[in-house]
Amino acid sequence: MTALVCAVSMEASKPLVSPEIDPSELDTLKSVELQGVQVTSTRASKKTPVAYTNMSKEELKAVNFGRDIPYLLSLTPSITMTSDAGNGIGYTSLRVRGTDPSRINITANGIPVNDAESAQLYWVNMGDFASSVQSMQIQRGVGTSTNGAGAFGATINMQTENIGMKPYFGLDLSGGSYYSHKETLRFGTGLLKDHWGIQGRLSNIGSKGYLDRASTKLNSYFIQGGYFSDNTVVKFITWNGIEETYHAWNYTSKYEQSLYGRTYNSCGEYYDEQGNVHYYDGQTDNYHQQNYQLLWNQRLSRNLNLNVAGHYTKGKGYYEEYKTGRKLIEYLPNGYWFDSGFGGDKLKSDLIRQKKMDNDFFAVVASLMYNNQDNIEAILGGGWNKYDGDHFGLVKWVKNVPQGLELLPDYEYYRNNAKKTDWNIYGKVNYEFVKGLNGFLDLQYRHIGYRMQDPRRVQLLQSEVWPELRHHASS
């Protein structure tokens, strides 16, 4: 498989200060340093006994032509990645040292972004997020203590872009194989009245995919505003991701490829009465994820820094699929078929179903950092996270409906709710005994509470409202 990419980048900027202001009078160094404090508590340094790789904004930009972040990290040690569509846009995942994605902790500005239930990050919901990243650190192995999901295999720590000191406006255009394209509009106000700044981007990414019908449409934005002083930085950040991808989840065997070609995709496949093959156009995954972060970094003294952050993520979406030869007993209230006279679980039919999600995730994290500027660095931190998610499914259409049985439009055949609470506290100390010899201590306590509603309870409750339909069908 060969991919061709071309890119164009244009940027315009102007001086930060007006002629009436003496640039030497502006001391922005401390404010710039404070923008990175939020991630310091969870990152490794040269004195930390952890294998890690840092990627700067410039390194990310050099390879960022629209592919997801797993592909941008593919040249770092011990990284392997997969792509459902076959070209790195859409549903992608990564492994570090062969570790499953659910064992990789991922944070943005020290705030967890892993899905609370599956414990992995769906990069398709964060289209072009790399264009808003200032730096990234990949820790291989268990890594240092962090917030969010367990980091048994690796840790990926992302710091979002700093608000620049100078105004700018930029446009990035990329195009490549399989009708792949990326358009990113970037802007920044620079420092306004010595204390304020706004920065952001708008992005559109699309591709038809290497596999048949494995199309992807990603739209996103990133906006942040901040207040800066010598010892204080307060930033509000919001970004979203809207995705629509055609399913390419089934993968193919070598035998199938020998019959139908290397780009064969069985998702959405069905046959009509004459045995002709068709593919369902609505076989898509659709999701909208909205993120909010409020960051406060405070320099208490020359040796002491405090940072506190709050976060809220709203996720809502569904995927729709054509299913062939399904047992209808799976989609009706519990016990319905046993008194209906329709033959129990023997009746099958093609149908179209939707599986939907509606969830909320919010968190608070904080850390206090001490550095005596000589031989001791100490960090005390922790976080509290809460997830509340609804899962439910709808039957949109049934091909063969038995006489006397009427499936209600958009019949809801299951619903359940999951709640998860996760909190942790950690402490780290790095002490340099002599030049070149140091000791590192890292202790963490974590508590996880998880509760899921039994879907069968909902089915039983639903069966209570169907007595007239059961009577009608059995008679």
Side-chain angles (χ1 to χ4, degrees), residues 314-332:
K314 176 65 178 181
K316 190 172 185 179
Y318 69 93
Y319 67 86
E320 186 169 302
E321 54 189 344
Y322 191 106
K323 305 296 290 185
T324 60
R326 302 295 295 188
K327 294 181 179 179
L328 291 185
I329 191 174
E330 300 176 14
Y331 299 90
L332 289 175

Side-chain angles (χ1 to χ4, degrees), residues 115-142:
D115 178 75
E117 291 185 293
S118 68
Q120 61 180 302
L121 176 60
Y122 296 98
W123 297 100
V124 70
N125 299 327
M126 301 180 68
D128 202 25
F129 191 73
S131 293
S132 300
V133 172
Q134 183 72 25
S135 66
M136 188 179 301
Q137 182 178 91
I138 307 100
Q139 298 178 18
R140 299 181 291 277
V142 176

Side-chain angles (χ1 to χ4, degrees), residues 213 264-271 277-280 322 324:
R213 304 177 312 284
Y264 173 67
N265 177 17
S266 64
C267 290
E269 185 177 273
Y270 67 96
Y271 295 85
V277 64
H278 297 275
Y279 295 94
Y280 179 54
Y322 191 106
T324 60

Side-chain angles (χ1 to χ4, degrees), residues 416-429:
N416 59 69
N417 175 266
K419 290 183 172 64
K420 182 179 181 180
T421 303
D422 181 343
W423 63 270
N424 69 298
I425 185 170
Y426 60 86
K428 310 176 189 180
V429 177

Side-chain angles (χ1 to χ4, degrees), residues 206-221:
S207 175
K208 287 192 175 181
Y210 173 71
L211 297 184
D212 298 336
R213 304 177 312 284
S215 60
T216 301
K217 298 177 183 178
L218 306 178
N219 293 290
S220 63
Y221 71 78

Side-chain angles (χ1 to χ4, degrees), residues 18 21 51 85 122 184 219 222 258 264 269 305 337 340 382 410 413:
S18 62
I21 301 177
Y122 296 98
T184 302
N219 293 290
F222 178 94
S258 68
Y264 173 67
E269 185 177 273
N305 288 292
W337 288 101
S340 64
D410 291 339
Y413 68 96

Side-chain angles (χ1 to χ4, degrees), residues 145-156:
S145 288
T146 184
N147 301 305
F152 302 111
T155 299
I156 298 178

Side-chain angles (χ1 to χ4, degrees), residues 299-420:
R299 190 189 303 272
L300 302 176
S301 68
R302 179 174 177 269
N303 301 327
L304 203 60
N305 288 292
L306 171 70
N307 70 73
V308 181
H311 167 262
Y312 171 65
T313 296
K314 176 65 178 181
K316 190 172 185 179
Y318 69 93
Y319 67 86
E320 186 169 302
E321 54 189 344
Y322 191 106
K323 305 296 290 185
T324 60
R326 302 295 295 188
K327 294 181 179 179
L328 291 185
I329 191 174
E330 300 176 14
Y331 299 90
L332 289 175
N334 207 23
Y336 173 78
W337 288 101
F338 297 101
D339 60 359
S340 64
F342 283 127
D345 63 353
K346 296 181 181 179
L347 187 62
K348 297 181 180 180
S349 175
D350 291 3
L351 54 85
I352 296 173
R353 70 183 186 189
Q354 281 186 359
K355 290 190 172 182
K356 312 186 78 169
M357 295 182 63
D358 188 351
N359 51 73
D360 302 275
F361 177 57
F362 40 96
V364 177
V365 301
S367 64
L368 182 65
M369 291 163 284
Y370 172 79
N371 187 335
N372 69 349
Q373 310 299 325
D374 184 15
N375 63 340
I376 298 178
E377 296 179 3
I379 300 172
L380 178 64
W384 178 87
N385 313 290
K386 176 72 173 183
Y387 171 86
D388 188 346
D390 288 318
H391 307 258
F392 52 102
L394 305 178
V395 177
K396 305 291 291 185
W397 170 83
V398 178
K399 183 178 182 181
N400 300 315
V401 180
Q403 184 179 4
L405 173 63
E406 297 179 1
L407 287 176
L408 302 178
D410 291 339
Y411 170 66
E412 184 177 293
Y413 68 96
Y414 79 89
R415 175 179 287 269
N416 59 69
N417 175 266
K419 290 183 172 64
K420 182 179 181 180

